[in-house]
Amino acid sequence: MIRSRVIGTGAYVPPRILSNHDLEKMVKTSDEWIATRTGIKERHIADEESATDIAVKAAKKAVESASLSADEIDLIIVATVTSDMVFPSTACFVQSRLGIKKNIPAFDISAACSGFLYGLDIADKYIKNGAAKKVLVAGVDVFSRIIDWNDRNTCVLFGDGAGAVVLSAERGNRGLLSSHLHSNGDHWRLLYTPSNIYSSPFKTHSRVHSHKHDEPYLKMEGNKVFKLAVQAMGETCQEALEHNDLKPADVTFLIPHQANIRIINATAEKTGISAEKVYINVDRYGNTSAGSIPIALDELAHSGRLKSGDILLMAAFGGGLTWASAVVRW
Ligand code: ACO
């Protein structure tokens, strides 16, 4: 059977670190509040670099670690909700900046923090039906550009970063075993960022947003998102295990979306996965949205802690609302 095997990973975060103590000088908050409620100690902020810049750096590392030349890639999928431009897509910029001369397909997908797992799922379907053999999937977000830095409810939570993998069509048992995607658009108001495209220049009133919600910053009802995230992440982990006939003890590592340590711990507990098997880096990066899971996967891959045959369970939750899981046999 043809499977999508991860043959390379890469990640990049911009060099500037914004600590909780730095945030204490910007809004009414404290290191203690942020660390206790979220697990975050610091995050990276892109000053000069854009989503494309950091995606390209992660993508180059992934292609290098796969020991490929960029021209061997035959599909590029970038998950992001903070692309440099409305169009072209970040994926087209990545294709150009990697120097790929073949006219391969390249496109972005929008599923917020679940975006990378959505990208894996799509890539796997291309690979399984024979339409692609080597696929670059990247997740990148620069939420620092869509955060209201005066809003303590949201500005302490996010950071910028990118991660990428190269998937290869291979026969055998290793690779992506399953992916499950979900969404519920009825809950969109709990987590969204408006854009001015919504309002027609020919109308004075928009149909959905009231004026105060039109500022182009991330809005979130944190408490409600928190509860739904715990429920959805737990359920999708469960369906992933059942689909593959796996028990919690079979999982080598749970790689959850890094939004909040309390969501991560609750997901692990609901799924029955012990704490030492949960990969955590939210303390160093905050929530990097689509970058979160591929950054964690890259760190784990380069840590020397993974061996062939290990079972990785990944789960994410984000705006849309969207949520997803994937199981990889390393
Ligand atoms: N510093 C100090 N106090 C704060 C801060 C802050 N940075 N932010 C909020 N507070 C205050 C609130 O104003 C509130 O004060 P009040 O009781 O006087 O009204 C109090 O702290 C408690 O606020 P809650 O919102 O109830 O705090 P909670 O324990 O729920 O934690 C948090 C808030 C961290 C946002 C949590 O709800 C959460 O993590 N939600 C989920 C976020 C998430 O995972 N998003 C998903 C993905 S994002 C994506 O897809 C783009």
Side-chain angles (χ1 to χ4, degrees):
M1 176 181 188
I2 297 287
R3 288 201 192 278
S4 308
R5 187 164 83 80
V6 178
I7 60 163
T9 67
Y12 176 81
V13 291
R16 181 174 164 206
I17 293 174
L18 187 73
S19 70
N20 290 349
H21 294 295
D22 296 327
L23 279 163
E24 287 173 346
K25 295 170 202 141
M26 296 165 63
V27 288
K28 198 161 177 278
T29 190
S30 66
D31 171 51
E32 199 267 333
W33 191 97
I34 302 170
T36 322
R37 299 288 181 122
T38 73
I40 301 166
K41 296 293 284 181
E42 60 188 33
R43 70 285 293 143
H44 290 245
I45 302 293
D47 281 333
E48 305 295 330
E49 294 166 304
S50 71
T52 295
D53 295 327
I54 64 175
V56 166
K57 287 182 176 160
K60 278 187 176 161
K61 289 183 185 182
V63 172
E64 270 168 35
S65 90
S67 303
L68 292 181
S69 93
D71 266 322
E72 291 173 84
I73 302 291
D74 45 26
L75 169 65
I76 299 175
I77 301 173
V78 176
T80 185
V81 289
T82 48
S83 50
D84 299 4
M85 299 191 184
V86 174
F87 66 87
S89 67
T90 304
C92 284
F93 285 126
V94 169
Q95 177 198 19
S96 166
R97 298 263 294 273
L98 290 183
I100 297 174
K101 294 299 170 211
K102 288 191 299 182
N103 301 323
I104 59 168
F107 56 84
D108 288 1
I109 53 163
S110 165
C113 303
S114 312
F116 177 74
L117 295 187
Y118 268 62
L120 273 192
D121 176 87
I122 297 165
D124 185 52
K125 289 178 166 69
Y126 269 81
I127 284 177
K128 288 229 168 80
N129 78 11
K133 287 196 164 48
K134 301 272 187 292
V135 184
L136 176 69
V137 183
V140 58
D141 270 310
V142 285
F143 269 38
S144 62
R145 310 284 161 88
I146 58 166
I147 292 295
D148 177 355
W149 287 100
N150 297 308
D151 176 12
R152 70 175 183 172
N153 291 294
T154 53
C155 77
V156 302
L157 302 175
F158 297 94
D160 301 334
V165 298
V166 176
L167 297 175
S168 173
E170 290 186 12
R171 288 190 188 280
N173 286 332
R174 296 173 69 193
L176 192 67
L177 301 186
S178 68
S179 47
H180 289 89
L181 310 184
H182 299 282
S183 63
N184 182 342
D186 290 345
H187 290 315
W188 70 267
R189 279 187 180 80
L190 300 182
L191 181 54
Y192 69 99
T193 303
S195 88
N196 60 8
I197 294 175
Y198 186 78
S199 308
S200 164
F202 296 96
K203 282 187 178 173
T204 47
H205 301 292
S206 67
R207 278 169 295 160
V208 176
H209 306 296
S210 65
H211 180 70
K212 74 184 169 69
H213 290 298
D214 278 351
E215 299 148 353
Y217 301 122
L218 181 142
K219 329 275 177 194
M220 182 172 72
E221 290 193 41
N223 254 313
K224 288 184 183 159
V225 171
F226 186 97
K227 286 179 192 141
L228 287 168
V230 169
Q231 186 186 339
M233 298 255 292
E235 283 173 6
T236 194
C237 283
Q238 201 54 48
E239 74 179 332
L241 292 182
E242 280 169 19
H243 179 90
N244 294 291
D245 207 12
L246 292 168
K247 295 184 192 59
D250 299 326
V251 174
T252 320
F253 281 105
L254 171 66
I255 308 178
H257 170 49
Q258 309 283 319
N260 183 318
I261 191 70
R262 292 185 294 143
I263 297 175
I264 292 172
N265 289 342
T267 302
E269 196 176 317
K270 271 187 138 200
T271 314
I273 291 176
S274 49
E276 72 280 3
K277 290 182 167 184
V278 184
Y279 193 79
I280 295 168
N281 63 15
V282 69
D283 50 324
R284 289 177 284 133
Y285 303 126
N287 180 349
T288 54
S289 184
S292 161
I293 287 183
I295 292 172
L297 180 61
D298 178 65
E299 287 190 342
L300 199 47
H302 287 99
S303 70
R305 294 165 72 193
L306 288 184
K307 57 183 190 317
S308 175
D310 280 352
I311 296 290
L312 310 181
L313 170 60
M314 300 180 263
F317 183 89
L321 296 177
T322 57
W323 62 103
S325 61
V327 177
V328 166
R329 186 182 286 117
W330 194 251

